[in-house]
Amino acid sequence: MSENDCSTEDHQGLKLVRVRGEVDLSWSQRLRKTILDALASTRPVAVDLSAVTYIDSSGIAALVEGFQNARGKGQRFSLVSVSRPVIAVLELARLDRVFPIFATVDEAAK
């Protein structure tokens, strides 16, 4: 089982939220808080999901809340390097059509 981690860094003008591990109900509130804290800046926010091995509906809800919060402020919000388990859930919920999704952080920063 992988260790859960969530951190924020500055990268090419972005606030980059890096997420690792399994995002479920026991841990999704930390992801939510990290995303909302990143959105407190005026910079675009990108969430790197490359190291996420599992995500449930509470994790998806945290991403949706971040997206809606950003949109309400006219701030860019995107998902980056989305792992196969996460993209499967996004596709199932048709959210892959809602979120801006980029293959790399550099693409999101453009």
Side-chain angles (χ1 to χ4, degrees):
M1 188 160 120
S2 59
E3 182 182 331
N4 293 340
D5 187 38
C6 195
S7 62
T8 306
E9 63 188 66
D10 293 329
H11 182 84
Q12 296 182 355
L14 291 174
K15 279 290 188 185
L16 180 63
V17 177
R18 291 193 186 269
V19 187
R20 184 179 74 218
E22 297 181 355
V23 183
D24 59 18
L25 186 58
S26 68
W27 194 72
S28 60
Q29 283 303 312
R30 179 161 174 219
L31 174 60
R32 177 184 178 274
K33 181 178 180 344
T34 303
I35 289 172
L36 294 177
D37 288 350
L39 286 166
S41 78
T42 58
R43 293 180 176 180
V45 172
V47 182
D48 181 341
L49 298 167
S50 61
V52 175
T53 56
Y54 171 83
I55 192 166
D56 71 3
S57 61
S58 66
I60 296 297
L63 296 174
V64 169
E65 183 177 353
F67 176 76
Q68 290 174 330
N69 185 295
R71 189 171 58 180
K73 299 189 309 185
Q75 194 171 1
R76 284 191 316 154
F77 182 89
S78 60
L79 306 181
V80 177
S81 302
V82 181
S83 68
R84 187 91 313 276
V86 176
I87 200 70
V89 174
L90 292 174
E91 288 172 350
L92 186 64
R94 297 185 182 223
L95 290 170
D96 59 316
R97 301 174 188 184
V98 174
F99 288 106
I101 299 175
F102 297 95
T104 67
V105 175
D106 291 339
E107 287 180 21
K110 291 180 183 176

